């Protein structure tokens, strides 16, 4: 069992920055991939960034490349999302998730499928609101 606790959301002006944190507890040794997702009203949930806990390999959605940075501190069981140059289009509920499936961090594209959505494969945080005006 893995539990995730998120923090760092808030309201900022366009061009501003936020840093989201996600700390995992429980059987963290089972986590192979951690990711940040977001969902805006009327839109599908999308993967924003992911990081492989073992290798540190990262992947970013095209919409956030060059603006967002995902990182991890394995000693603290924490993953971060540094968000710079925020745009109104970034407004969404942001979720942290941990997948126990190694291939969740594989590939040159990111399909939000059962590797993340199946509760047997992944744990999710409660979500934190990010609003950019």
């Amino acid at each position: 069992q893995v539990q995730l606790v998120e923090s760092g959301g808030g309201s900022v002006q366009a061009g501003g920055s936020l840093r989201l944190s996600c700390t995992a507890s429980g059987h963290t040794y089972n986590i192979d991939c951690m990711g940040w997702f977001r969902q805006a009203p009327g839109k599908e949930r999308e993967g924003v960034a992911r990081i492989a806990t073992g290798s540190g390999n990262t992947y970013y959605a095209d919409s956030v490349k060059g603006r967002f940075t995902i990182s991890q501190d394995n000693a603290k069981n924490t993953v971060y999302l540094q968000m710079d140059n925020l745009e109104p289009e970034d407004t969404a509920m942001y979720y942290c998730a941990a997948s126990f499936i190694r291939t969740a961090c594989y590939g040159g594209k990111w399909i939000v499928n059962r590797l993340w959505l199946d509760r047997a494969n992944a744990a999710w945080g409660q979500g934190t609101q990010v609003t950019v005006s």
Side-chain angles (χ1 to χ4, degrees), residues 20 42 64 73 75 84-85 89 91 106 110 114:
L20 306 183
V64 306
D73 185 339
D84 297 321
N85 300 316
E89 293 76 15
T91 296
Y106 280 35
W110 193 359
R114 65 178 182 84

Side-chain angles (χ1 to χ4, degrees), residues 38-41 87-94 129-133:
R38 67 186 182 187
Q39 187 166 23
E87 305 169 351
E89 293 76 15
D90 296 316
T91 296
M93 185 72 72
Y94 283 71
Q129 179 68 39
V130 171
T131 302
V132 184
S133 60

